[in-house]
Amino acid sequence: MGSRPPSSEELAQRREAELQALYLITQAANFSVTVDDILELIYTQIQRVLDTPTFYIALADAERKSLSYAFYVEGNERLYPQEQWPITTGLSGAILSKGTPIRTDNYQEECKSRDIPPKDPSIQCWMGVPLAVQDQAIGVMVASSCDREITFSEADQGLFVTIASYTAATIERRRLYERLETRALQLHTLNEIGKLLASSLDIDEVLDLVVHNATTLLDTEGGSLLLLDDVSGDLVFRVSSGPAGEKLSGLKVPAGKGIAGVCFSENKPIIVNDAQHDQRWYRSFDRTAEFITHSLLAVPLNARGRTIGLIEVINRKNGGIFDQEDVDLLLSFGAQAAIAIENARLFTTTDRALQNRVEELSTIQHIDRQLNATLDYREVINLTLSWAIRLTNATTGIIAALDEGQEGPPGLHILAHEGYPPEIFEPYEERELWPLDKGLIGQTVRSGQITLIDDVSKVSDYVECQPDIQAHLSVPMQRENKVIGVIAIESQEAGCFTQEAVDFITRLAEHAAIAIDNARLFQQVQRANQAKTEFVSFVSHELKQPMTSIKGYTDLLMKGIAGELNEQQRAFLNVILASVRHMDRLVSDLLDISRIESGRLKLEMNSFHPVSITNEAIEAFSQTMREKQQVFEIDIMPELPNIYADRGRLLQVLTNLLSNASKYTPESGHITLKVNHQQLDGEAYVYWSVKDDGIGMTPDELGKLFTKYFRSQNPAVRSVKGTGLGLAITRSIVELHGGHMYVESEAGKGSTFSFIIPAEKVPHEPDAEAAEQPQVPIDKLENP
């Protein structure tokens, strides 16, 4: 860029820089780091080839139809503006609407020609390109300058477009990974909530649990549970939470009126993200509760084929809006809640009804616990069928799942069967689908209604799969009012299936549908996590070979094998070596976490004295601490017992803790290392602790500390290179040894990391080599 045409040498240098930048950007896209770290790297690489004093990346919010900054640099300084603007505004809006880049050396004229008010009258040149994934624009990437000497060429635009495509793909990949993690956590939470709800049959306690867990699950300011009053036909606020929840208790809403009434009468979820401008909203409720409702999500509660009420959650705590993922999550929760409420209602009805239902409800609870105790898809199905046959005294049974038949007509996959000859259903377990127009189970799925036949010989649609069968009962399994499968049981005794048996299988189908769906979703998440782990392992292994070559040839050059080097050449090679070492640490961390996740981390166990690795770790950091003038105090208890462990891995743990303490403690700070032995629950352990008076951590950071790839937003932490994997690996290594890891920290006052490893139970003589190693008095480093 500039007024003088570039020479051929300059063009070659620029091309080389562009290729290097693109290479680093594509490599970075393969690592599971935060989006912000990726954007930092992208900006750094762009700066190598383009002069962009002002640069930003803005991402689109489809729900709000707005743009906001994800990354912003002005005057070569990183800023953090919180501005949001309509998605159609300015040149960025033009880029998003057309999906094409805009480049101009006269920003003011470009805006004028498009009838767009210029954002800044001082801007001279401007270039923006869309960030698109599968032809869907997710944001824009923009560079601009107020300097008249700077212009953007067609080649600059081409490079910008290429980088934007990698950026968009990386952002979308990270978003997908985060959604998968969130979904896995939500499924786990739903499973735990299901257990909690199933543990109580007190109606008031269940209602409180439902509202409390609904607001916690969606992180909202408040929530309400409304149930149908069978006498008046109105909806009644039974439980409300939030700042003014008690004031709503007992209030009524006519069915079909207002947001809650429409949700109930139409039996469908409703999202309202601007309640104050929605005509269906009863503002009197806000006045009664002295509360302002901004956004609201309501879902119906369905149990036993009827709508019994609804759940509302109000105002996201983070100020965000509700979306379809929130709807799906609350529907899943509502399905469990409705069953729990109905169970509690049944249990708290008349004494006569109670006596008739106690045994069945207790059984349902037991089944629930068993179903919720596993997320193994096949085990859930087999448990369901086993309970269905056992508690109805049926002869045979079958469970089948509906397959929509993407490559043909819909049909049923046979998931489990008992009591039938194996060859009858074997073709329908994998290869073929049982037609929906065949037999009574097909009829049940088509109609969505229960099929009860006391004498199958009188039914023309019956398909005989086992001789002497007389009675048949099939119940559809439904999830969110959609049939997903069928449970069918049969007996050789005519008319044996009573109304109690029908009710039991119906409730079992409701419970099983939730467990089966959760298990199926969990299985999908597991496959996604396994694919991610295998990908990281593959990439890490592939990086090892070129890194080894780079390091080897650099070492040869440093030794003068290819000729004498000048000072500048040696400096360049030292930079390469430092970068390769850093990359090697990154790759090693990724390989370790991959091995840990897949259960392939092998420990090489040996007996040794704990002082030996302690001294080795101290020696590794003595020079670093001297350079930072840090005071290092050491307190090692004499006569420590031997430990039986992987020496290299424990050294890795200790050096990681000492490294962190040194990196995040300022010059002249204090670091203390203690080693002693302790008794815990009658077992002997060797105890290490590393204490510093460095930057410390907030409670929120402590909660995320051992999460993979987590790094604090504290600038002092961000200024030090790292992957966010060290502590996750460290804790895993300690736990693989049967030990435990602990941390205490306070922002601005420092941190203490400690861990314990079981002492060797077989007595050994003290490790002579370890005992002879000098314990360096590094506490004398105060005045080096």
Side-chain angles (χ1 to χ4, degrees):
M1 296 179 292
S3 59
R4 179 179 63 82
S7 66
S8 58
E9 182 178 354
E10 289 173 331
L11 287 173
Q13 290 175 346
R14 175 191 167 94
R15 183 58 179 160
E16 183 179 354
E18 288 178 355
L19 291 174
Q20 180 67 12
L22 288 173
Y23 172 76
L24 292 175
I25 289 171
T26 56
Q27 290 301 307
N30 292 324
F31 294 99
S32 296
V33 296
T34 66
V35 171
D36 191 69
D37 287 341
I38 291 290
L39 299 185
E40 284 274 11
L41 182 143
I42 289 169
Y43 170 70
T44 301
Q45 298 309 315
I46 288 175
Q47 284 294 95
R48 295 179 59 190
V49 291
L50 296 177
D51 193 356
T52 57
T54 300
F55 172 87
Y56 69 81
I57 291 175
L59 298 181
D61 185 326
E63 294 286 342
R64 296 179 183 232
K65 298 187 184 304
S66 66
L67 283 165
S68 59
Y69 293 115
F71 188 87
Y72 186 92
V73 172
E74 185 174 334
N76 297 318
E77 180 182 356
R78 175 76 186 274
L79 303 176
Y80 299 87
Q82 301 300 313
E83 180 182 351
Q84 287 190 355
W85 64 95
I87 205 167
T88 56
T89 300
L91 293 182
S92 59
I95 290 173
L96 286 176
S97 64
K98 300 291 186 182
T100 56
I102 293 176
R103 173 174 56 88
T104 177
D105 294 333
N106 193 328
Y107 172 74
Q108 312 303 320
E109 284 299 321
E110 184 72 25
C111 291
K112 183 178 179 181
S113 68
R114 296 174 181 268
D115 198 22
I116 294 172
K119 184 176 181 180
D120 185 346
S122 65
I123 295 176
Q124 295 298 317
C125 62
W126 194 93
M127 178 170 61
V129 298
L131 298 174
V133 178
Q134 296 181 349
D135 297 328
Q136 179 67 38
I138 65 170
V140 293
M141 187 167 76
V142 173
S144 63
S145 175
C146 299
D147 189 343
R148 295 179 182 274
E149 298 298 321
I150 295 177
T151 61
F152 295 124
S153 66
E154 186 175 347
D156 296 336
Q157 178 179 309
L159 177 63
F160 221 50
V161 169
T162 302
I163 292 175
S165 67
Y166 285 119
T167 302
T170 301
I171 291 172
E172 193 64 17
R173 182 184 301 172
R174 184 58 189 170
R175 282 176 170 176
L176 175 60
Y177 177 73
E178 289 173 351
R179 283 197 296 270
L180 287 173
E181 280 196 327
T182 301
R183 186 60 175 158
L185 179 60
Q186 289 172 345
L187 287 173
H188 175 73
T189 304
L190 280 176
N191 190 43
E192 293 300 312
I193 291 172
K195 294 179 184 178
L196 188 62
L197 290 176
S199 68
S200 175
L201 288 172
D202 183 303
I203 185 65
D204 293 327
E205 183 181 359
V206 168
L207 296 180
D208 283 333
L209 283 172
V210 168
V211 175
H212 170 74
N213 284 293
T215 56
T216 301
L217 199 60
L218 279 93
D219 194 28
T220 61
E221 294 180 2
S224 299
L225 189 148
L226 294 81
L227 293 180
L228 178 66
D229 184 332
D230 292 324
V231 177
S232 66
D234 294 332
L235 294 168
V236 181
F237 280 88
R238 289 294 304 271
V239 179
S240 292
S241 69
E246 293 182 2
K247 297 182 179 181
L248 292 176
S249 183
L251 292 180
K252 295 184 177 182
V253 177
K257 302 293 184 181
I259 295 171
V262 172
C263 171
F264 175 83
S265 61
E266 297 184 6
N267 193 29
K268 67 178 184 180
I270 293 180
I271 293 177
V272 177
N273 284 316
D274 188 4
Q276 298 303 316
H277 293 89
D278 194 301
Q279 294 181 351
R280 299 169 298 180
W281 177 241
Y282 284 149
R283 291 171 180 78
S284 59
F285 288 152
D286 278 355
R287 290 193 293 270
T288 299
E290 299 176 357
F291 183 80
I292 298 177
T293 300
H294 299 293
S295 56
L296 179 146
L297 168 60
V299 300
L301 294 174
N302 294 295
R304 302 180 65 193
R306 69 188 187 97
T307 307
I308 63 173
L310 68 136
I311 302 175
E312 293 179 341
V313 288
I314 299 170
N315 296 351
R316 299 295 292 265
K317 287 183 179 178
N318 62 5
I321 61 177
F322 295 109
D323 56 25
Q324 187 57 44
E325 287 190 4
D326 298 324
V327 172
D328 295 340
L329 182 60
L330 195 55
L331 280 172
S332 297
F333 171 75
Q336 298 188 54
I339 294 169
I341 291 170
E342 279 298 276
N343 287 347
R345 272 181 163 180
L346 287 170
F347 197 80
T348 54
T349 54
T350 64
D351 290 341
R352 182 178 178 182
L354 177 62
Q355 291 171 358
N356 293 335
R357 300 294 184 191
V358 164
E359 183 177 354
E360 179 183 330
L361 289 173
S362 299
T363 302
I364 285 288
Q365 279 191 284
H366 181 59
I367 294 171
D368 263 346
R369 283 193 292 270
Q370 283 197 284
L371 291 179
N372 288 321
T374 179
L375 283 171
D376 184 299
Y377 186 49
R378 290 290 177 185
E379 186 175 349
V380 168
I381 292 166
N382 290 328
L383 276 173
T384 301
L385 183 58
S386 175
W387 280 107
I389 293 174
R390 186 189 316 171
L391 296 179
T392 57
N393 295 316
T395 307
T396 58
I398 187 172
I399 293 182
L402 177 63
D403 189 313
E404 298 292 349
Q406 295 179 355
E407 299 180 359
L412 294 171
H413 267 304
I414 306 303
L415 303 178
H417 57 86
E418 185 175 323
Y420 297 104
E423 63 273 10
I424 297 293
F425 295 114
E426 192 273 337
Y428 305 105
E429 292 178 345
E430 296 292 343
R431 301 188 303 275
E432 303 177 26
L433 296 180
W434 180 282
L436 293 187
D437 58 1
K438 180 180 179 180
L440 297 178
I441 59 173
Q443 172 186 310
T444 300
V445 172
R446 292 198 314 273
S447 66
Q449 303 296 318
I450 296 170
T451 300
L452 175 60
I453 306 296
D454 291 330
D455 186 354
V456 296
S457 64
K458 299 178 180 179
V459 180
S460 59
D461 290 344
Y462 181 70
V463 176
E464 183 179 290
C465 298
Q466 176 76 6
D468 301 325
I469 292 296
Q470 297 193 42
H472 172 96
L473 170 63
S474 54
V475 177
M477 290 194 297
Q478 298 188 4
R479 192 77 167 99
E480 299 169 9
N481 293 324
K482 180 181 178 182
V483 176
I484 65 170
V486 61
I487 299 178
I489 54 175
E490 296 184 324
S491 175
Q492 295 174 342
E493 181 183 347
C496 68
F497 296 132
T498 64
Q499 186 59 44
E500 286 75 15
V502 174
D503 292 342
F504 169 73
I505 296 298
T506 301
R507 279 189 284 276
L508 180 61
E510 292 173 350
H511 289 232
I514 296 169
I516 289 171
D517 202 36
N518 285 348
R520 186 160 49 190
L521 289 171
F522 183 75
Q523 198 175 63
Q524 293 171 359
V525 171
Q526 281 186 314
R527 284 197 292 267
N529 279 335
Q530 179 63 25
K532 181 266 298 181
T533 298
E534 290 173 358
F535 177 76
V536 169
S537 178
F538 171 78
V539 170
S540 301
H541 278 292
E542 288 299 306
L543 284 174
K544 276 286 188 181
Q545 184 174 350
M547 285 167 51
T548 302
S549 298
I550 293 170
K551 185 177 183 301
Y553 282 112
T554 305
D555 284 334
L556 291 175
L557 290 173
M558 291 286 286
K559 291 175 181 178
I561 299 298
E564 213 41 55
L565 301 176
N566 59 39
E567 276 190 30
Q568 187 177 34
Q569 289 170 331
R570 287 188 175 276
F572 287 165
L573 290 175
N574 282 326
V575 171
I576 292 173
L577 280 175
S579 298
V580 170
R581 292 189 190 104
H582 177 62
M583 287 181 66
D584 189 56
R585 286 194 296 271
L586 296 179
V587 171
S588 295
D589 283 352
L590 287 169
L591 282 171
D592 279 347
I593 206 70
S594 174
R595 293 187 184 109
I596 290 168
E597 288 179 339
S598 60
R600 293 185 291 108
L601 185 68
K602 303 299 182 184
L603 298 180
E604 298 180 4
M605 308 294 279
N606 290 289
S607 175
F608 60 92
H609 197 273
V611 172
S612 64
I613 63 166
T614 304
N615 285 340
E616 190 172 341
I618 291 171
E619 186 176 354
F621 287 94
S622 59
Q623 183 60 35
T624 301
M625 293 180 182
R626 288 192 182 95
E627 291 172 356
K628 293 186 71 173
Q629 298 183 338
Q630 292 170 334
V631 179
F632 188 14
E633 299 178 359
I634 303 169
D635 182 4
I636 301 179
M637 179 182 290
E639 299 181 1
L640 291 171
N642 275 18
I643 56 176
Y644 188 72
D646 186 321
R647 191 181 190 283
R649 289 296 182 182
L650 282 193
L651 181 60
Q652 179 183 349
V653 169
L654 190 55
T655 54
N656 183 54
L657 297 183
L658 287 173
S659 174
N660 285 348
S662 180
K663 284 190 292 188
Y664 302 125
T665 300
E667 293 187 359
S668 303
H670 286 72
I671 299 172
T672 302
L673 170 64
K674 290 185 178 180
V675 189
N676 57 39
H677 61 80
Q678 297 183 353
Q679 291 286 327
L680 182 63
D681 296 330
E683 298 289 333
Y685 291 85
V686 176
Y687 168 91
W688 285 266
S689 78
V690 179
K691 180 179 180 181
D692 64 67
D693 58 0
I695 60 177
M697 288 171 283
T698 64
D700 181 62
E701 290 170 336
L702 275 174
K704 303 174 183 176
L705 184 61
F706 294 101
T707 305
K708 288 176 294 184
Y709 310 111
F710 168 73
R711 298 199 74 208
S712 168
Q713 296 302 314
N714 189 318
V717 175
R718 289 288 174 179
S719 65
V720 179
K721 293 181 179 179
T723 62
L725 292 174
L727 288 176
I729 295 169
T730 294
R731 186 172 71 171
S732 296
I733 291 173
V734 169
E735 291 175 349
L736 284 171
H737 282 85
H740 301 282
M741 192 165 187
Y742 312 92
V743 58
E744 297 176 3
S745 186
E746 185 176 350
K749 296 188 177 180
S751 306
T752 301
F753 286 85
S754 54
F755 65 97
I756 57 174
I757 299 294
E760 189 172 16
K761 293 184 179 180
V762 179
H764 281 264
E765 291 296 321
D767 190 325
E769 181 182 350
E772 292 174 2
Q773 290 186 4
Q775 296 179 12
V776 183
I778 303 182
D779 53 324
K780 303 302 183 183
L781 295 177
E782 185 173 3
N783 297 302

